[in-house]
Amino acid sequence: MSTSAAHLAGTVTLVTGASSGIGEATARSLAAQGATLALVARREERLESVAADIRASGGSALVFPSDITGDGEAVSLVERVLAETGRLDVLVNAAGIMLVGPALDAPAGEWQRNVDLNVSALLNLTHAALPHLVAAARDDEGRGVADLVNISSVAGRQAIGGAAVYSATKFAVTAFSEALRQELAARHVRVSSVEPGAVATELTDHIRDGVREHNQAWYASLETLRPEDVADAITYVVTRPRHVAVNELLVRPTDQV
Ligand code: NDP
């Protein structure tokens, strides 16, 4: 995949989940393309460290520590980002959790936690950001296009037993992305769904005891993707010319069946 340097000069990108894994790698990659990064996650020190690295490489980044599942948090977060940066050209919804395991044994609240972050927070943040993405696409001084990238999953294309609710959340992300794409295409806001297979990140750390070990053994049996591989795909999506929309990208490790 080829991307030329500084494609995103003068633009602002908000990345959720920027403290680790895919979100962090994406933030670094888009900063290298000239975007000013608004880094969002709960762990402030991790965000500060990513921002310091970006600045040391000549890029620009601001941190916005936030639990995006909080009531009213999406609206207030987008307001804070706009107050500090003045615009929003790209939103990457990468924050997510994968609390999987047999449905019959699911602890109370586990299903809801998947839904709260992977679906509700993503919807709320998208809703708050959309008017600003539309404005950025319309801005004569800008790229003439804006981007919303939602991180779905292989589990958003094929339902997986033992991951019923996680699959349901990712099907929701894929469906929402496609419907929104149809609504926003004429406004030059591109909506993309990126669907990774197994990526070596902290995602599996939060799985319940007894299931986590099995899941991590499966990851260890593969030559997994690195977060940078998915960041590369996302960077490709948001650096296409104005008339090119990459709507969906499924990226698996070569040896993942
Ligand atoms: P990580 O666990 O490394 O990253 C998850 C990110 O979400 C962290 O930055 C975390 O930061 C943030 N986050 C979690 N809860 C909240 C919250 N309440 N508010 C704000 N931020 C939050 O996992 P990945 O990078 O792998 O996951 C990124 C996305 O990729 C997810 O949507 C996941 O479903 C998807 N995905 C991952 C795959 C994989 O194999 N790794 C495969 C397919 C899809 P903090 O804890 O600091 O808040």
Side-chain angles (χ1 to χ4, degrees):
M1 290 180 176
S2 75
T3 53
S4 64
H7 257 299
L8 300 177
T11 68
V12 175
T13 293
L14 191 166
V15 178
T16 69
S19 63
S20 67
I22 294 168
E24 176 184 344
T26 300
R28 293 178 189 277
S29 178
L30 299 186
Q33 292 286 332
T36 293
L37 264 294
L39 307 175
V40 176
R42 292 166 303 179
R43 288 170 294 177
E44 184 168 4
E45 331 72 61
R46 296 277 290 260
L47 294 180
E48 290 289 4
S49 156
V50 177
D53 285 353
I54 288 174
R55 289 184 206 121
S57 307
S60 174
L62 299 165
V63 306
F64 297 89
S66 164
D67 179 345
I68 60 172
T69 63
D71 263 358
E73 185 57 18
V75 170
S76 120
L77 174 61
V78 170
E79 278 172 3
R80 279 181 278 144
V81 171
L82 263 290
E84 297 249 0
T85 67
R87 59 186 298 130
L88 183 60
D89 299 86
V90 178
L91 169 61
V92 180
N93 281 312
I97 43 171
M98 183 179 73
L99 304 178
V100 294
L104 204 53
D105 310 328
E110 189 179 88
W111 292 2
Q112 193 60 49
R113 287 177 62 205
N114 278 304
V115 172
D116 286 348
L117 182 61
N118 299 358
V119 182
S120 302
L122 181 146
L123 297 185
N124 291 337
L125 200 52
T126 301
H127 187 255
L130 273 184
H132 305 290
L133 294 174
V134 169
R138 219 191 285 130
D139 179 7
D140 292 338
E141 310 282 309
R143 296 184 303 155
V145 71
D147 287 284
L148 167 62
V149 180
N150 293 325
I151 311 305
S152 178
S153 170
V154 165
R157 291 173 61 113
Q158 120 194 16
I160 300 169
V165 177
Y166 181 70
S167 295
T169 66
K170 293 302 184 176
F171 267 73
V173 171
T174 302
F176 175 62
S177 303
E178 169 54 18
L180 211 53
R181 183 195 70 74
Q182 295 169 27
E183 290 190 37
L184 296 173
R187 295 178 187 270
H188 285 89
V189 176
R190 300 182 291 208
V191 183
S192 311
S193 170
V194 173
E195 300 151 345
V199 190
T201 68
E202 298 173 14
L203 194 69
T204 60
D205 294 357
H206 315 290
I207 298 173
R208 70 176 101 126
D209 293 347
V211 177
R212 184 178 58 253
E213 299 76 6
H214 174 75
N215 203 277
Q216 291 182 338
W218 177 72
Y219 270 69
S221 74
L222 299 169
E223 190 180 341
T224 51
L225 299 174
R226 295 165 297 126
E228 292 75 17
D229 297 322
V230 182
D232 192 25
I234 294 167
T235 303
Y236 178 80
V237 168
V238 304
T239 55
R240 292 311 84 206
R242 181 176 190 257
H243 67 287
V244 179
V246 181
N247 303 139
E248 201 172 355
L249 258 185
L250 173 61
V251 188
R252 286 191 184 95
T254 304
D255 59 353
Q256 181 177 347
V257 177

